Amino acid sequence: MPLPAFIRALPAADIPVPEDLVTTNAMQSEDGLIVFFTIHKDMEIPPHSHGPQWGMVIEGRFELTMNGETRVCTAGDSYDIPAGVEHGAKLTAGTILMDVFAEHDRYALRR
């Protein structure tokens, strides 16, 4: 199920991933950033770290690796990534995620 039209109408986040792999829709305030990620092709996000992040799988599945431990997250699962914790992911085509970042400027928005 695609995201509702009002979410798809939100601006894109300026992420370093080609749009044929993933599209984004985001909302930003001075307190944080919410990004909806729609994955179009299987892809891998290499290990990295940043400020606190919380997310939820809306549809599909992906593998999340934190501190060397991997778990499979499916629709309805949430995950909490504390600040500075190294993490990476293997994302499956068709997956839709919602990530909330404490860093309001984690990604700029494309208007």
Side-chain angles (χ1 to χ4, degrees), residues 15-62:
I15 64 172
V17 178
E19 286 186 27
D20 68 324
L21 294 178
V22 60
T23 54
T24 60
N25 301 96
M27 289 192 297
Q28 186 176 48
S29 77
E30 62 274 357
D31 298 317
L33 174 68
I34 299 172
V35 182
F36 295 89
F37 293 92
T38 302
I39 311 304
H40 302 295
K41 296 180 183 176
D42 292 355
M43 60 181 288
E44 189 166 343
I45 304 295
H48 63 285
S49 64
H50 47 72
Q53 174 183 350
W54 177 89
M56 188 171 113
V57 181
I58 297 171
E59 185 170 299
R61 66 180 299 280
F62 80 105

Side-chain angles (χ1 to χ4, degrees), residues 92-107:
T92 304
T95 298
I96 300 174
L97 308 169
M98 176 184 69
D99 281 325
V100 181
F101 300 93
E103 301 165 297
H104 77 280
D105 58 352
R106 171 94 179 115
Y107 301 114

